[in-house]
Amino acid sequence: MSKSKSSQSSKSSKSSKSKKPKAARGWAEPADLALRPQPLAGLECASTPGWTGDRAAAEAQLAANGAALSELQEKLFADGRSGGTRSVLLVLQGMDTSGKGGIVRHVIGQVDPQGVMHRSFGVPTDAERKHNYLWRIRNALPRPGYIGVFDRSHYEDVLVARVNELVPPEVWGKRYEEINAFEAKVAAAGTRIVKVALVVSAQEQKARLRERLTRKDKFWKYNPSDIDERAKWPAYREAYQAVLDRTSTDTAPWHVVPADRKWFARLAVSQLLLDALTDLDLGWPPPSFDVKAEKARLEKA
Ligand code: AMP
Ligand code: MG
């Protein structure tokens, strides 16, 4: 349960009651805690863990978070420009229609695109297949100062690869530990990893797929293979549960976000990202020049 909060408690020794991380208004407890992994079998996909407000309140909070996110993203960018090594990586996983694209548009869309490195991972290309599965992931990691966003990720290599037996069990079976070691290195190099599993119910997925087959502006999102994957729902559930059980670590914990209500999923991811950026405790970089002297030079110019 104790993660990055230890740094907080060691910092603020002034007030004994400021030890607990604060939850923003509307959250009964911090999103980080409310969304810790729980057995998927018991998850209510239309629930809103930790959130006590309604949809309107969530939308208002999302907008407020956006303003805060935008400022912190700029601080992160400035920090990177000034020699800082930190970055943030948001990993989005979820079945088709779980809303990964909507998160990118509505949450990441709130910050300056200049500071975002977004990458979606599909079926590996021939070139990618020549390398280890982590090769393309490593190449897409955010540089210092950036917010990286993965729409799907290396976790596909223990999800679709496991369910569809793209590699034998002895190969995918070793990947959980490989992934943990890989992420530990990434985190040690300065990247704060925020992992989110968006969990949509089978019923809601059906409704969303139906919509994709009904609206001409949605056809492009539909892929006939979505129905084949849907047919393997229990195997995917099991594979997702294994991911949560085996790759939720102190440095890179998973968060499970019920995704039947898009407004909640967007708010939840925005809050997790905002809390992660806030925790970096970023300041504006000091000037690398003599401000007074530069002011004087400017007046004479
Ligand atoms: P979409 O996100 O809807 O564009 O679909 C991307 C597809 O690529 C999904 O069906 C994923 O399961 C598939 N995919 C992503 N990564 C891998 C991988 N490493 N191996 C096989 N299939 C993958
Ligand atoms: Mg798809």
Side-chain angles (χ1 to χ4, degrees):
M1 203 207 95
S2 72
K3 290 198 320 177
S4 54
K5 302 301 167 211
S6 52
S7 59
Q8 240 180 5
S9 42
S10 60
K11 239 194 296 175
S12 55
S13 51
K14 267 185 256 152
S15 147
S16 58
K17 60 182 212 265
S18 67
K19 297 282 156 66
K20 248 178 91 190
K22 271 196 305 210
R25 259 180 60 221
W27 288 101
E29 61 177 327
D32 174 52
L33 298 181
L35 299 166
R36 285 303 168 91
Q38 49 174 304
L40 292 174
L43 187 73
E44 171 50 69
C45 296
S47 64
T48 62
W51 180 251
T52 56
D54 59 8
R55 178 181 179 155
E59 285 170 353
Q61 184 70 53
L62 178 66
N65 284 1
L69 264 180
S70 180
E71 182 178 328
L72 287 173
Q73 180 270 326
E74 195 180 345
K75 277 187 174 157
L76 180 64
F77 196 76
D79 186 69
R81 277 294 172 89
S82 314
T85 55
R86 288 177 297 176
S87 61
V88 172
L89 174 62
L90 175 66
V91 175
L92 295 172
Q93 276 296 154
M95 300 288 283
D96 282 306
T97 78
S98 59
K100 302 184 292 296
I103 298 280
V104 175
R105 185 197 284 219
H106 294 276
V107 179
I108 304 303
Q110 293 176 308
V111 309
D112 185 348
Q114 178 174 216
V116 175
M117 290 177 67
H118 170 267
R119 175 77 198 268
S120 32
F121 292 97
V123 178
T125 62
D126 287 344
E128 287 169 346
R129 241 189 280 275
K130 293 202 177 95
H131 300 270
N132 174 276
Y133 68 101
L134 291 173
W135 180 80
R136 64 178 186 164
I137 305 298
R138 211 174 269 122
N139 287 342
L141 288 172
R143 291 192 296 276
Y146 284 79
I147 296 179
V149 182
F150 286 177
D151 176 338
R152 302 189 190 268
S153 65
H154 42 302
Y155 286 100
E156 290 294 322
D157 295 284
V158 283
L159 290 165
V160 67
R162 168 176 168 154
V163 170
N164 289 341
E165 298 174 9
L166 303 180
V167 292
E170 39 308 354
V171 174
W172 60 252
K174 289 200 192 97
R175 289 181 174 168
Y176 301 94
E177 280 311 312
E178 289 168 10
I179 288 172
N180 288 342
F182 169 73
E183 290 181 353
K185 267 196 193 162
V186 171
T191 302
R192 178 65 172 263
I193 304 173
V194 180
K195 299 191 293 199
V196 175
L198 295 166
V199 186
V200 72
S201 65
Q203 193 189 3
E204 178 65 17
Q205 191 201 45
K206 190 168 202 166
R208 291 182 187 177
L209 286 174
R210 193 181 291 125
E211 196 178 20
R212 289 183 180 183
L213 286 170
T214 312
R215 286 172 47 175
K216 70 174 185 199
D217 62 327
K218 300 254 180 186
F219 290 155
W220 70 274
K221 289 191 185 182
Y222 184 81
N223 186 330
S225 75
D226 293 350
I227 308 227
D228 302 320
E229 296 315 297
R230 176 177 166 78
K232 301 165 198 161
W233 198 268
Y236 270 107
R237 263 290 154 104
E238 206 179 301
Y240 266 96
Q241 189 65 57
V243 161
L244 299 174
D245 292 344
R246 300 180 65 180
T247 64
S248 205
T249 59
D250 280 353
T251 39
W254 274 102
H255 297 95
V256 172
V257 172
D260 277 11
R261 297 178 200 251
K262 289 179 180 172
W263 58 263
F264 175 70
R266 290 167 189 171
L267 169 68
V269 178
S270 128
Q271 196 65 56
L272 291 168
L273 197 56
L274 177 57
D275 292 349
L277 274 156
T278 303
D279 206 41
L280 294 185
D281 202 15
L282 294 156
W284 293 108
S288 57
F289 44 82
D290 181 338
V291 176
K292 215 168 140 195
E294 291 304 306
K295 276 185 179 161
R297 278 183 68 217
L298 176 64
E299 292 315 319
K300 278 194 228 134

